[in-house]
Every structure is written in C-alpha cells, then in structure tokens.
C-alpha cells in the first residue's frame, strides 16, 4: 500500500490529558540497590522468582475464568514461567479507576507491580520527571534485543525522556486514522459521480439537501458532524496551508496549535458556510459522544461523514444497523477533502500505544524486561492474540484469519488479549502489510473490502506527529482547558452569522491564547529548537 506524505509535519494531538499530582516518594529505591537489579535470590531470573504484572479488570471476564486465571494467563505460565523460572503473577486494576489506583500503588512503593502501564502520556511523563521509574536503557540493550527489534527506534522514542528509556511503548501496528464515507446509493439515484475535491463535495451536499435522494421527508443531513476530532479534523486539516519551507509553528503543529496555523480560519469559515446553508448537523456542538451522529447514520438521514477508518464496520455498528433498516443503503469510502496542493491531508496516529513502565522500587526489572522480550516474538504474539488454530482461527497465506463460526468457548479464550499482550496495539502477523491484512481479516467478511479501502484512504497524505525530548509542562497544566476552549471556538464560529464570523473568531482566538495557548506554543517552540 503506497503512502504519500504531506509536507506538513505535526505533533499528534490528544483528545485530552490529565493534570495529575502523583506521589512517588515511595517509588524511589531507598535501599541503596542499583535501580532495576534483582534481589540476591533471583539475579537474572536464574532462581525461582516472582514477577508482578498489572492487568486491567474491565468486569467482563467470561464464566469459567477469573481475571488472574484464564486461557492467556495459563499460556504465560506454561510458555514463559516454566522455561524462565520466573513466576508471573497478575495484579488486577479496575480499568475505570486506572490512574487513581495506579497513583496509590506507585506511592506505596512496596505494593506496586513490577510492570505497570497507562495509555495516558501525561501520567507517564509525570512519573518519569519525579523519579518514579527505572531507567531501562541498559537493561534493554542487555536483555531486550528481540523487544528492540520488534518495536523499532521510532516507537521506542515515545518512551524516552531526555534520551533515557523510561517506558516501553506498546507498538501500534496501524497508524492510519481517519476516513470518510458517502451514500453511494444516493449518488446513483441522482446520477452524480463520486466527488473528488472539496468543491465537488460542496455541490454534492447541496444536491443531497435539495433533492433528498434518501426520501427522508425533509430531515436529510447532507454532512454528519460532531464536536469530536474524528468528524472535525479531516475537514479542518485539509484547509491548513502547506509551505515549501516549514515554519516552526507548522513543524510543531498539534491540536493545541491548530488555531494559529495558516488556513485553520478558512476551514472554520467553510464550516460556517455549510452550517448556515443547512448542509451539516444542526446540533453538532452538543454531540460529544457521537451518539446522535450514529443514530442519524443508522436511520438513513446522513449523506456523508468522517470517522476513524474502522468504526462503522464492526458487528452491530452503524453500517450493519443502517442496512438492517435499509438493505439497499451503501456507504462507500471516500477521500474528498483536498488541500491547496491537491493532497488529502489528514493526521495519523503516533506509532505507540501503551506506556509500559517498571517502577524504580521494583527489584525485578531484569525479569520484567525478559518477560516483555519473550512476548514480542512473532510466534508468541500470534498464539496469544489468536487462540487455537482450527478453533479460533485458520491461516490464509500465513495470516491468521478469525473463524466466524468459532464457538463461544473459543472466543472466551482471548476475550482480554489487548490487556495481556501489552507490547502490541493491533494484530501481529509478520510485516506491516501482513499486520494490516490480519486486521482486515478480523472484520466481518461482508465489510472487509470496505475496511481495506477506508484504511488505504486513511493512510494517504498523512501528517506525522512530532516527538519532543522532554515533557511539555504547560501542556499538562493547560491541556484540558485548552481543549475546551478550542471546542468553544469551533462551535461559536461555525454557528455565527456570516457577517460576524471574523469578529467572533478573532475574539475566541485571543481568549484561547491568553488562557495558556501562547505559553504552550512558546514552550513547545523552545523544546523543539533545543532538540534540533
């Protein structure tokens, strides 16, 4: 699959970060031992030793198993513990209370597991800054060669602070993010071609409103929109002006930089035009969880929308429910938003998932790295992610394919694979192309070609994230409030009468910058310049 990169380099934005106060006084190693060294009874794991590993408890354990005694925990004991003489013990933490519980454990020192993890970047950075984590740089070189090869330098960098490795990032196997869809059956009914540019899309949306090809009785919504990134960002990023010589702001671009990038204002002006002409969801600013959007897709009101490339295709998701209501409805993937260079610019995910950490108080860091190194072998990953061949999956050209008629017993085996196979965020089958095919084969058969096409669009003209060598403290301080201010700016300017658009935008931007936006920009610029 070919990927063409835009000339804009940006930093991954996040839907939100936590401002945390973490107590790590108990995390420092007060006994004078070398951080990460094993106790005398288990040096290098050569004698019997225990390794405590965090596991999320989501309250969905199938009957016959417990969160600490399941098919996958037994697989670990049978295939790692017996050969390494390292007994792995799983420590449940409720997923809904993850950060609060982890903070308590980290503060306790003695009770914290040897391997902990979080999806939250701010939490990881705070632990690292306050000295609560083991420096894994040398341990990886000595005991984690397989792990280093699997993750690669790009992914490993996301776990580094000022050049030291304080976390093992889980590898995100697919960085594609956003795609869009249009009602192909509506286009066919109107005899219209698939729109290939933003201007053509505008004409198509007007036709959907005026002619109502879905026969909605006047309740047609040509463009489905919410205040969520998955709907907003494919449109807004297509208006950001590319530069042959990148400015600092563009190189540092993140969701908190979006308002100051050239072209962002014009993207909002286009949304304002769509809104005032009745071409997009009227109450988009109230739809913070996509529930209304999903309902409108399923009921057949929406003509075009954007989202994460895979969201609509799962069993009992929007597409299946739409077709249950209207078997003739067809949602075709589309890549229509076009920037000034003719590219379909859109952000991609960073290559990291979880931040896997070893607290500084742990005396089993060697065993922890050995465990993660074992898990990163392709054969182990395939076994743990897929279950039993012939019962859970079959091999197609060497790629695991989920059996659609697998028994419930077989499905229960790997019900929480993502919470145990922590080094990988996504299916592993070998190289990048096989990983993508493995993901596609895991989707309902009738939608697999749609998933493949939408994934390809999501992987085209992508804007890559920018990594920083140190945490951006002002981002942690102001991040949540700036997210709210950005949402407020988008809603107010979109819903404004056209003659008041400029004044409302200018006022909102000034407010945004005065409430931390400028401080974040200045610190990010300084950190980026220092790194260069």
């Amino acid at each position: 699959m070919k990927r063409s990169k835009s000339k804009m380099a940006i930093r991954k934005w996040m839907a939100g970060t936590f401002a945390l106060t973490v107590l790590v006084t108990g995390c420092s190693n007060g006994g004078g031992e070398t951080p990460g060294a094993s106790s005398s009874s288990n040096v290098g794991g050569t004698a019997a030793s225990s390794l405590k590993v965090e596991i999320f408890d989501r309250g969905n354990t199938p009957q016959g198993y417990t969160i600490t005694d399941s098919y996958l925990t037994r697989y670990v004991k049978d295939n790692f513990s017996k050969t390494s003489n390292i007994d792995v013990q799983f420590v449940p933490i409720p997923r809904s209370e993850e950060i609060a519980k982890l903070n308590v454990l980290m503060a306790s020192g003695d009770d914290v597991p040897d391997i902990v993890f979080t999806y939250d970047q701010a939490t990881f950075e705070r632990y690292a800054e306050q000295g609560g984590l083991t420096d894994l740089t040398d341990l990886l070189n000595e005991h984690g060669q397989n792990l280093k090869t699997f993750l690669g330098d790009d992914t490993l960098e996301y776990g580094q602070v000022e050049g030291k490795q304080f976390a093992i990032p889980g590898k995100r196997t697919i960085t594609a993010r956003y795609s869009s869809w249009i009602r192909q059956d509506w286009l066919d009914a109107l005899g219209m071609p698939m729109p290939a540019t933003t201007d053509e899309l505008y004409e198509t949306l007007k036709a959907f409103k005026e002619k109502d090809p879905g026969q909605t009785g006047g309740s047609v919504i040509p463009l489905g929109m919410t205040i969520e990134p998955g709907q907003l960002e494919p449109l807004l990023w297509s208006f950001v002006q590319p530069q042959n010589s990148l400015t600092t702001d563009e190189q540092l671009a993140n969701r908190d930089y979006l308002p100051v990038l050239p072209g962002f204002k014009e993207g909002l002006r286009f949304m304002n035009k769509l809104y005032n002409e009745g071409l997009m969801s009227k109450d988009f600013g109230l739809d913070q969880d996509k529930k209304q959007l999903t309902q409108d897709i399923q009921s057949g009101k929406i003509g075009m929308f954007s989202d994460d490339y895979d969201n609509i295709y799962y069993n009992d998701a929007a597409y299946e429910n739409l077709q249950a209501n209207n078997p003739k409805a067809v949602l075709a993937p589309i890549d229509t938003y076009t920037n000034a260079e003719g590219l379909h610019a859109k952000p991609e995910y960073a290559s990291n998932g979880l931040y896997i950490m070893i607290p500084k108080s742990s005396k089993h860091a060697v065993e922890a790295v050995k465990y993660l190194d074992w898990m990163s072998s392709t054969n182990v990953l395939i076994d743990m992610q897929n279950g039993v061949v012939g019962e859970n999956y079959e091999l197609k050209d060497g790629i695991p394919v989920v059996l659609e008629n697998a028994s419930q017993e077989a499905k229960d085996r790997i019900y929480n694979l993502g919470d145990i196979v922590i080094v990988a965020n996504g299916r592993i089958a070998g190289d990048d192309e096989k990983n993508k095919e493995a993901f596609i084969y895991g989707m309902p058969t009738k939608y697999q070609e749609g998933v493949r096409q939408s994934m390809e669009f999501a992987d085209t003209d992508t804007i890559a994230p920018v990594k920083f060598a140190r945490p951006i403290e002002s981002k942690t301080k102001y991040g949540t409030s700036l997210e709210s201010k950005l949402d407020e700016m988008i809603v107010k300017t979109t819903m404004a009468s056209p003659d008041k658009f400029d004044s409302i935008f200018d006022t909102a931007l000034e407010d945004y910058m005065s409430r931390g936006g400028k401080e974040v920009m200045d610190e990010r610029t300084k950190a980026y310049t220092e790194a260069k």
Side-chain angles (χ1 to χ4, degrees):
M1 182 182 301
K2 268 192 170 180
R3 175 188 301 188
S4 95
K5 290 288 183 184
S6 158
K7 294 181 180 178
M8 298 174 287
I10 70 163
R11 167 103 163 117
K12 173 189 173 185
W13 65 90
M14 297 174 289
T17 57
F18 295 91
L20 301 171
T21 302
V22 181
L23 300 176
V24 295
T25 54
C27 297
S28 61
N29 192 325
E33 294 182 283
T34 302
S38 300
S39 62
S40 59
S41 64
N42 56 33
V43 174
T46 56
S49 58
S50 295
L51 178 69
K52 294 182 178 180
V53 180
E54 176 186 355
I55 184 173
F56 283 151
D57 186 351
R58 300 177 186 269
N60 62 340
T61 304
Q63 187 174 4
Y65 292 136
T66 68
I67 190 65
T68 58
D69 181 24
S70 65
Y71 173 84
L72 289 177
T73 63
R74 295 169 194 169
Y75 181 94
V76 170
K77 290 182 180 295
D78 290 342
N79 293 275
F80 175 73
S81 295
K82 288 183 179 179
T83 57
S84 65
N85 212 18
I86 301 170
D87 179 34
V88 178
Q89 300 176 7
F90 291 94
V91 179
I93 292 182
R95 178 65 177 101
S96 59
E97 306 171 39
E98 169 216 345
I99 292 177
K101 293 288 186 182
L102 187 54
N103 287 342
V104 172
L105 287 171
M106 290 290 285
S108 74
D110 293 337
D111 295 330
V112 65
D114 301 293
I115 293 178
V116 297
F117 47 79
T118 182
Y119 285 102
D120 185 54
Q121 181 183 12
T123 299
F124 153 62
E125 291 177 344
R126 183 64 61 87
Y127 290 158
E129 282 187 304
Q130 296 190 355
L133 301 178
T134 300
D135 180 355
L136 304 174
T137 309
D138 293 337
L139 290 174
L140 266 179
N141 290 331
E142 187 173 356
H143 302 289
Q145 287 302 316
N146 190 57
L147 182 59
K148 289 177 65 176
T149 299
F150 169 67
L151 295 176
D153 292 339
D154 179 72
T155 300
L156 281 168
E157 284 184 17
Y158 285 98
Q160 296 173 5
V161 175
E162 296 184 350
K164 295 182 179 181
Q165 195 79 44
F166 285 108
I168 305 298
K171 182 175 183 178
R172 187 185 296 276
T173 59
I174 299 173
T175 58
R177 191 166 189 175
Y178 297 135
S179 189
S180 301
W181 293 265
I182 196 166
R183 284 289 298 268
Q184 180 67 62
D185 52 313
W186 288 15
L187 292 174
D188 295 342
L190 297 178
M192 298 185 70
M194 183 81 72
T197 67
T198 304
D199 289 342
E200 291 180 8
L201 175 63
Y202 172 69
E203 296 300 325
T204 301
L205 296 178
K206 287 201 301 182
F208 284 172
K209 177 178 173 58
E210 293 167 3
K211 300 180 181 179
D212 194 10
Q215 299 179 354
T216 66
S219 60
V220 60
I221 304 171
L223 177 66
M225 185 60 67
T226 77
I227 195 60
E228 287 291 287
Q231 288 70 61
L232 287 168
E233 289 178 350
L235 186 157
L236 291 176
W237 275 107
S238 72
F239 279 86
V240 172
Q241 295 295 313
Q243 301 284 324
N244 291 328
S245 177
L246 295 176
T247 66
T248 300
D249 282 351
E250 288 170 309
Q251 288 174 319
L252 297 178
N254 195 328
R255 194 163 190 245
D256 44 274
Y257 266 69
L258 193 53
V260 300
L261 292 179
F264 170 73
K265 183 177 181 180
E266 296 312 306
L268 285 182
R269 195 186 301 277
F270 180 66
M271 285 183 60
N272 177 270
K273 179 180 181 180
L274 297 178
Y275 185 85
N276 280 286
E277 293 182 12
L279 300 179
M280 60 175 276
S281 302
K282 181 179 179 181
D283 296 323
F284 78 101
L286 301 176
D287 196 4
Q288 298 181 338
D289 54 13
K290 298 193 298 187
K291 285 185 178 179
Q292 188 60 52
L293 174 75
T294 302
Q295 182 178 330
D296 289 339
I297 293 169
Q298 294 173 168
S299 63
K301 295 180 181 179
I302 288 180
M304 189 266 187
F305 65 97
S306 302
D307 203 348
D308 288 357
Y309 76 90
D310 58 334
N311 273 358
I312 69 167
Y313 291 113
Y314 292 95
N315 285 321
D316 200 30
Y319 198 1
E320 186 172 68
N321 291 329
L322 167 64
Q323 291 189 319
N325 293 325
N326 179 5
K328 296 182 179 180
V330 178
L331 286 173
I334 188 173
D335 202 12
T336 187
Y337 292 123
T338 312
N339 72 5
E341 289 187 331
L343 301 175
H344 305 292
K346 62 188 78 71
E348 68 179 22
Y349 280 114
S351 63
N352 68 307
L354 280 170
Y355 295 92
I356 306 166
M357 303 165 288
I358 301 174
K360 196 170 183 179
S361 59
S362 172
K363 297 180 180 180
H364 303 285
V366 170
E367 289 90 339
V369 173
K370 287 185 174 181
Y371 172 63
L372 297 173
D373 190 73
W374 164 80
M375 186 185 292
S376 62
S377 299
T378 300
N379 61 321
V380 172
L381 288 167
I382 290 176
D383 282 351
M384 294 186 74
Q385 288 189 329
N386 295 282
V388 178
V389 66
E391 296 182 23
N392 288 90
Y393 71 100
E394 61 183 359
L395 291 173
K396 180 178 179 181
D397 299 325
I399 299 171
V401 180
V402 176
L403 294 175
E404 292 197 44
N405 61 348
S407 67
Q408 189 60 48
E409 179 183 1
K411 294 176 183 177
D412 289 347
R413 288 184 183 127
I414 53 175
Y415 79 98
N416 65 341
L417 68 94
D419 297 333
I420 294 184
V421 191
I422 52 179
V423 298
N425 186 339
R427 295 281 182 176
I428 299 296
D431 58 30
D432 288 345
E433 292 304 315
K434 286 185 177 179
N435 293 341
K436 291 174 183 177
E437 288 301 308
F439 178 85
I440 292 168
Y441 288 151
M443 302 297 283
T445 302
K446 61 184 176 180
Y447 296 133
Q448 286 179 7
E449 285 308 309
V451 176
R452 182 175 284 105
Q453 182 66 73
S454 64
M455 181 190 292
E456 184 172 346
F457 285 154
D459 207 29
T460 299
D461 298 339
T462 53
I463 306 167
V466 172
K467 295 183 286 291
F468 291 88
R470 61 175 174 83
I472 306 301
E473 294 180 5
S474 56
K475 171 68 174 176
T476 302
K477 181 179 180 180
Y478 297 112
T480 301
S481 61
L482 286 178
E483 288 291 335
S484 297
K485 281 296 173 184
L486 178 56
D487 288 347
E488 182 181 319
M489 182 191 306
I490 292 170
V491 173
K492 284 185 175 180
T493 54
T494 299
M495 297 178 66
S497 60
D499 61 309
K500 295 181 179 179
F501 173 85
D502 287 294
S503 62
I504 288 177
F505 176 86
D506 293 343
T507 300
L509 179 59
E510 182 179 356
D511 184 41
Y512 177 91
M513 298 299 286
S514 68
R515 293 177 181 265
K518 185 177 187 306
E519 190 173 332
V520 174
M521 265 180 43
D522 290 346
E523 185 182 355
R524 288 168 65 88
T525 300
K526 182 180 179 181
Y528 184 80
T529 304
E530 290 170 354
K532 286 295 184 184

